[in-house]
PDB file of all heavy atoms in Angstrom:
ATOM      1  N   ASP A 387     143.788 135.589  -7.638  1.00 97.00           N
ATOM      2  CA  ASP A 387     142.474 135.273  -8.172  1.00 97.00           C
ATOM      3  C   ASP A 387     141.683 134.353  -7.250  1.00 97.00           C
ATOM      4  O   ASP A 387     140.507 134.101  -7.506  1.00 97.00           O
ATOM      5  CB  ASP A 387     142.615 134.636  -9.550  1.00 97.00           C
ATOM      6  CG  ASP A 387     141.334 134.727 -10.369  1.00 97.00           C
ATOM      7  OD1 ASP A 387     140.695 135.795 -10.332  1.00 97.00           O
ATOM      8  OD2 ASP A 387     140.971 133.737 -11.025  1.00 97.00           O
ATOM      9  N   PHE A 388     142.306 133.861  -6.183  1.00 98.00           N
ATOM     10  CA  PHE A 388     141.604 132.989  -5.236  1.00 98.00           C
ATOM     11  C   PHE A 388     140.688 133.781  -4.304  1.00 98.00           C
ATOM     12  O   PHE A 388     139.904 133.193  -3.562  1.00 98.00           O
ATOM     13  CB  PHE A 388     142.583 132.213  -4.367  1.00 98.00           C
ATOM     14  CG  PHE A 388     143.452 131.212  -5.116  1.00 98.00           C
ATOM     15  CD1 PHE A 388     144.493 130.570  -4.458  1.00 98.00           C
ATOM     16  CD2 PHE A 388     143.245 130.939  -6.449  1.00 98.00           C
ATOM     17  CE1 PHE A 388     145.296 129.661  -5.113  1.00 98.00           C
ATOM     18  CE2 PHE A 388     144.050 130.032  -7.134  1.00 98.00           C
ATOM     19  CZ  PHE A 388     145.075 129.385  -6.464  1.00 98.00           C
ATOM     20  N   TYR A 389     140.819 135.112  -4.321  1.00 98.00           N
ATOM     21  CA  TYR A 389     140.136 135.948  -3.325  1.00 98.00           C
ATOM     22  C   TYR A 389     139.361 137.055  -4.042  1.00 98.00           C
ATOM     23  O   TYR A 389     139.596 138.238  -3.836  1.00 98.00           O
ATOM     24  CB  TYR A 389     141.163 136.542  -2.353  1.00 98.00           C
ATOM     25  CG  TYR A 389     142.090 135.496  -1.779  1.00 98.00           C
ATOM     26  CD1 TYR A 389     143.396 135.345  -2.261  1.00 98.00           C
ATOM     27  CD2 TYR A 389     141.662 134.620  -0.782  1.00 98.00           C
ATOM     28  CE1 TYR A 389     144.243 134.368  -1.757  1.00 98.00           C
ATOM     29  CE2 TYR A 389     142.501 133.643  -0.271  1.00 98.00           C
ATOM     30  CZ  TYR A 389     143.780 133.523  -0.759  1.00 98.00           C
ATOM     31  OH  TYR A 389     144.604 132.563  -0.257  1.00 98.00           O
ATOM     32  N   ARG A 390     138.392 136.667  -4.834  1.00 98.00           N
ATOM     33  CA  ARG A 390     137.717 137.612  -5.715  1.00 98.00           C
ATOM     34  C   ARG A 390     136.796 138.582  -4.971  1.00 98.00           C
ATOM     35  O   ARG A 390     136.493 139.653  -5.495  1.00 98.00           O
ATOM     36  CB  ARG A 390     136.930 136.844  -6.775  1.00 98.00           C
ATOM     37  CG  ARG A 390     137.835 135.997  -7.672  1.00 98.00           C
ATOM     38  CD  ARG A 390     137.063 135.101  -8.625  1.00 98.00           C
ATOM     39  NE  ARG A 390     137.970 134.205  -9.330  1.00 98.00           N
ATOM     40  CZ  ARG A 390     137.592 133.243 -10.169  1.00 98.00           C
ATOM     41  NH1 ARG A 390     136.297 133.048 -10.402  1.00 98.00           N
ATOM     42  NH2 ARG A 390     138.495 132.464 -10.752  1.00 98.00           N
ATOM     43  N   SER A 391     136.352 138.206  -3.786  1.00 98.00           N
ATOM     44  CA  SER A 391     135.460 139.082  -3.016  1.00 98.00           C
ATOM     45  C   SER A 391     136.115 139.640  -1.765  1.00 98.00           C
ATOM     46  O   SER A 391     135.443 140.133  -0.857  1.00 98.00           O
ATOM     47  CB  SER A 391     134.184 138.321  -2.624  1.00 98.00           C
ATOM     48  OG  SER A 391     133.402 138.000  -3.751  1.00 98.00           O
ATOM     49  N   ALA A 392     137.441 139.569  -1.692  1.00 98.00           N
ATOM     50  CA  ALA A 392     138.149 140.104  -0.533  1.00 98.00           C
ATOM     51  C   ALA A 392     137.915 141.603  -0.410  1.00 98.00           C
ATOM     52  O   ALA A 392     137.839 142.327  -1.411  1.00 98.00           O
ATOM     53  CB  ALA A 392     139.642 139.827  -0.645  1.00 98.00           C
ATOM     54  N   GLU A 393     137.791 142.066   0.812  1.00 97.00           N
ATOM     55  CA  GLU A 393     137.564 143.490   1.072  1.00 97.00           C
ATOM     56  C   GLU A 393     138.683 144.337   0.469  1.00 97.00           C
ATOM     57  O   GLU A 393     138.457 145.417  -0.056  1.00 97.00           O
ATOM     58  CB  GLU A 393     137.494 143.700   2.582  1.00 97.00           C
ATOM     59  CG  GLU A 393     137.304 145.143   3.004  1.00 97.00           C
ATOM     60  CD  GLU A 393     137.272 145.282   4.520  1.00 97.00           C
ATOM     61  OE1 GLU A 393     136.794 144.348   5.195  1.00 97.00           O
ATOM     62  OE2 GLU A 393     137.760 146.313   5.019  1.00 97.00           O
ATOM     63  N   ALA A 394     139.912 143.829   0.540  1.00 98.00           N
ATOM     64  CA  ALA A 394     141.069 144.506  -0.050  1.00 98.00           C
ATOM     65  C   ALA A 394     142.144 143.458  -0.274  1.00 98.00           C
ATOM     66  O   ALA A 394     142.225 142.455   0.446  1.00 98.00           O
ATOM     67  CB  ALA A 394     141.587 145.622   0.855  1.00 98.00           C
ATOM     68  N   LYS A 395     142.966 143.657  -1.296  1.00 98.00           N
ATOM     69  CA  LYS A 395     144.074 142.767  -1.573  1.00 98.00           C
ATOM     70  C   LYS A 395     145.348 143.594  -1.741  1.00 98.00           C
ATOM     71  O   LYS A 395     145.366 144.566  -2.501  1.00 98.00           O
ATOM     72  CB  LYS A 395     143.815 141.939  -2.839  1.00 98.00           C
ATOM     73  CG  LYS A 395     142.723 140.891  -2.680  1.00 98.00           C
ATOM     74  CD  LYS A 395     142.612 139.993  -3.895  1.00 98.00           C
ATOM     75  CE  LYS A 395     141.887 140.677  -5.040  1.00 98.00           C
ATOM     76  NZ  LYS A 395     141.569 139.717  -6.141  1.00 98.00           N
ATOM     77  N   THR A 396     146.381 143.208  -1.001  1.00 98.00           N
ATOM     78  CA  THR A 396     147.668 143.895  -1.107  1.00 98.00           C
ATOM     79  C   THR A 396     148.766 142.887  -1.368  1.00 98.00           C
ATOM     80  O   THR A 396     148.632 141.705  -1.040  1.00 98.00           O
ATOM     81  CB  THR A 396     147.993 144.697   0.167  1.00 98.00           C
ATOM     82  OG1 THR A 396     147.988 143.790   1.304  1.00 98.00           O
ATOM     83  CG2 THR A 396     146.968 145.780   0.408  1.00 98.00           C
ATOM     84  N   GLN A 397     149.861 143.352  -1.962  1.00 98.00           N
ATOM     85  CA  GLN A 397     150.989 142.501  -2.280  1.00 98.00           C
ATOM     86  C   GLN A 397     152.255 143.059  -1.657  1.00 98.00           C
ATOM     87  O   GLN A 397     152.425 144.274  -1.542  1.00 98.00           O
ATOM     88  CB  GLN A 397     151.163 142.422  -3.801  1.00 98.00           C
ATOM     89  CG  GLN A 397     150.001 141.776  -4.548  1.00 98.00           C
ATOM     90  CD  GLN A 397     150.127 141.955  -6.039  1.00 98.00           C
ATOM     91  OE1 GLN A 397     149.724 142.980  -6.593  1.00 98.00           O
ATOM     92  NE2 GLN A 397     150.695 140.968  -6.722  1.00 98.00           N
ATOM     93  N   LEU A 398     153.144 142.145  -1.266  1.00 98.00           N
ATOM     94  CA  LEU A 398     154.442 142.536  -0.701  1.00 98.00           C
ATOM     95  C   LEU A 398     155.513 141.606  -1.230  1.00 98.00           C
ATOM     96  O   LEU A 398     155.350 140.383  -1.185  1.00 98.00           O
ATOM     97  CB  LEU A 398     154.397 142.466   0.827  1.00 98.00           C
ATOM     98  CG  LEU A 398     155.748 142.608   1.547  1.00 98.00           C
ATOM     99  CD1 LEU A 398     156.317 144.026   1.358  1.00 98.00           C
ATOM    100  CD2 LEU A 398     155.609 142.285   3.039  1.00 98.00           C
ATOM    101  N   THR A 399     156.605 142.177  -1.734  1.00 98.00           N
ATOM    102  CA  THR A 399     157.765 141.397  -2.143  1.00 98.00           C
ATOM    103  C   THR A 399     158.893 141.646  -1.161  1.00 98.00           C
ATOM    104  O   THR A 399     159.335 142.782  -0.982  1.00 98.00           O
ATOM    105  CB  THR A 399     158.217 141.785  -3.564  1.00 98.00           C
ATOM    106  OG1 THR A 399     157.160 141.542  -4.490  1.00 98.00           O
ATOM    107  CG2 THR A 399     159.444 140.962  -3.973  1.00 98.00           C
ATOM    108  N   LEU A 400     159.349 140.570  -0.505  1.00 98.00           N
ATOM    109  CA  LEU A 400     160.488 140.656   0.421  1.00 98.00           C
ATOM    110  C   LEU A 400     161.785 140.559  -0.364  1.00 98.00           C
ATOM    111  O   LEU A 400     161.938 139.676  -1.232  1.00 98.00           O
ATOM    112  CB  LEU A 400     160.420 139.522   1.439  1.00 98.00           C
ATOM    113  CG  LEU A 400     159.133 139.425   2.286  1.00 98.00           C
ATOM    114  CD1 LEU A 400     159.174 138.181   3.162  1.00 98.00           C
ATOM    115  CD2 LEU A 400     158.939 140.678   3.124  1.00 98.00           C
ATOM    116  N   ARG A 401     162.713 141.467  -0.064  1.00 98.00           N
ATOM    117  CA  ARG A 401     164.008 141.492  -0.746  1.00 98.00           C
ATOM    118  C   ARG A 401     165.136 141.379   0.266  1.00 98.00           C
ATOM    119  O   ARG A 401     165.148 142.108   1.270  1.00 98.00           O
ATOM    120  CB  ARG A 401     164.142 142.771  -1.578  1.00 98.00           C
ATOM    121  CG  ARG A 401     163.036 142.931  -2.613  1.00 98.00           C
ATOM    122  CD  ARG A 401     163.214 144.139  -3.502  1.00 98.00           C
ATOM    123  NE  ARG A 401     162.098 144.258  -4.425  1.00 98.00           N
ATOM    124  CZ  ARG A 401     161.976 143.563  -5.564  1.00 98.00           C
ATOM    125  NH1 ARG A 401     162.954 142.723  -5.909  1.00 98.00           N
ATOM    126  NH2 ARG A 401     160.920 143.718  -6.342  1.00 98.00           N
ATOM    127  N   PRO A 402     166.081 140.457   0.057  1.00 98.00           N
ATOM    128  CA  PRO A 402     167.138 140.239   1.056  1.00 98.00           C
ATOM    129  C   PRO A 402     167.891 141.494   1.439  1.00 98.00           C
ATOM    130  O   PRO A 402     168.209 141.691   2.628  1.00 98.00           O
ATOM    131  CB  PRO A 402     168.069 139.223   0.347  1.00 98.00           C
ATOM    132  CG  PRO A 402     167.200 138.538  -0.635  1.00 98.00           C
ATOM    133  CD  PRO A 402     166.217 139.562  -1.109  1.00 98.00           C
ATOM    134  N   GLU A 403     168.207 142.347   0.480  1.00 98.00           N
ATOM    135  CA  GLU A 403     169.011 143.521   0.790  1.00 98.00           C
ATOM    136  C   GLU A 403     168.313 144.467   1.759  1.00 98.00           C
ATOM    137  O   GLU A 403     168.981 145.189   2.516  1.00 98.00           O
ATOM    138  CB  GLU A 403     169.380 144.267  -0.511  1.00 98.00           C
ATOM    139  CG  GLU A 403     168.193 144.788  -1.326  1.00 98.00           C
ATOM    140  CD  GLU A 403     167.646 143.794  -2.313  1.00 98.00           C
ATOM    141  OE1 GLU A 403     167.961 142.590  -2.193  1.00 98.00           O
ATOM    142  OE2 GLU A 403     166.904 144.242  -3.231  1.00 98.00           O
TER     143      GLU A 403
END
Side-chain angles (χ1 to χ4, degrees):
D387 201 41
F388 295 172
Y389 310 102
R390 298 173 187 175
S391 293
E393 178 182 327
K395 290 187 283 189
T396 57
Q397 296 170 275
L398 170 66
T399 300
L400 303 175
R401 302 184 182 279
E403 61 272 16

